[in-house]
């Protein structure tokens, strides 16, 4: 009976590892949409795997699912293996969504991990966001080719 239980346990372990392996393969082949469900299944049983969590966050980012990527990055930062660049990446994603308050909080945490000019500029760019971005009404595009009497290419 014990042998059967051990065999079942080993088969389950192999299945879980195969999900990560398949996810890694899809990720390396730029098949991010196919990698996402594999990583999600794997992380249900192994939530502390930094590499799989990072690849899942990147997969969401690469298919332009910014909210999904933000959610995974938040989980990633709770892992002990998280590196300062993970905070930086999350700040950039939060800026894309316009969530400047939360972006600034994570930028300050980033600065605590790596003080310096890059962190200072990151916080400054968040504080100056409205000054650095143009609204849609600041520019107008007008087709003036109808004003030309002849083509410039002849």
């Amino acid at each position: 009976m014990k042998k059967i239980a051990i065999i079942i346990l080993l088969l389950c372990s192999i299945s879980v590892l195969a999900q990560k392996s398949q996810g890694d393969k899809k990720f390396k082949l730029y098949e991010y949409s196919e990698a996402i469900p594999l990583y999600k299944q794997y992380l249900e049983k192994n939530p502390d795997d930094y590499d799989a969590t990072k690849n899942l966050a990147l997969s969401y980012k690469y298919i332009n699912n910014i909210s999904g990527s933000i959610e995974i990055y938040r989980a990633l930062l709770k892992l002990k293996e998280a590196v300062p660049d993970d905070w930086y990446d999350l700040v950039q994603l939060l800026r894309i969504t316009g969530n400047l308050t939360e972006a600034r909080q994570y930028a300050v945490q980033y600065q605590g991990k790596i003080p310096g000019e890059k962190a200072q500029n990151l916080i400054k760019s968040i504080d100056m966001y409205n000054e650095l971005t143009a609204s849609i009404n600041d520019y107008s595009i007008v087709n003036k080719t109808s004003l030309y009497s002849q083509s410039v290419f002849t």
Side-chain angles (χ1 to χ4, degrees):
M1 186 66 179
K2 287 183 180 180
K3 290 181 182 180
I4 294 173
I6 291 172
I7 291 172
I8 292 173
L9 183 63
L10 286 174
L11 289 174
C12 290
S13 301
I14 292 170
S15 173
V16 169
L17 291 175
Q19 288 171 335
K20 182 182 180 190
S21 176
Q22 289 175 340
D24 290 342
K25 182 178 178 183
K26 297 292 185 185
F27 184 84
K28 289 176 185 172
L29 292 172
Y30 308 104
E31 296 173 352
Y32 305 115
S33 295
E34 295 174 26
I36 289 171
L38 296 168
Y39 282 131
K40 286 174 73 173
Q41 288 174 346
Y42 171 76
L43 287 169
E44 286 176 5
K45 294 189 173 46
N46 298 288
D48 295 333
D49 188 320
Y50 173 81
D51 292 326
T53 306
K54 176 75 175 205
N55 286 349
L56 178 59
L58 290 172
S59 294
Y60 276 120
K61 179 180 172 182
Y62 294 155
I63 65 166
N64 208 25
N65 183 337
I66 303 303
S67 60
S69 186
I70 288 171
E71 180 184 332
I72 301 303
Y73 265 106
R74 286 181 183 137
L76 181 71
L77 296 183
K78 294 175 184 173
L79 301 178
K80 64 182 178 184
E81 296 94 345
V83 295
D85 281 344
D86 296 332
W87 271 264
Y88 184 85
D89 292 341
L90 178 57
V91 169
Q92 299 298 359
L93 293 168
L94 289 167
R95 285 184 356 168
I96 289 170
T97 62
N99 190 344
L100 302 178
T101 304
E102 189 176 1
R104 191 175 198 296
Q105 292 171 350
Y106 283 109
V108 169
Q109 291 176 22
Y110 173 75
Q111 185 179 37
K113 296 182 177 309
I114 298 186
E117 189 175 3
K118 182 178 178 182
Q120 290 170 349
N121 288 339
L122 181 62
I123 293 171
K124 190 183 293 184
S125 72
I126 294 168
D127 293 340
M128 297 177 61
Y129 184 81
N130 290 330
E131 296 170 45
L132 298 173
T133 56
S135 74
I136 196 164
N137 298 323
D138 287 350
Y139 301 96
S140 63
I141 299 172
V142 179
N143 184 355
K144 295 195 173 189
T145 57
S146 63
L147 302 175
Y148 303 136
S149 59
Q150 66 184 51
S151 174
V152 293
F153 297 107
T154 58

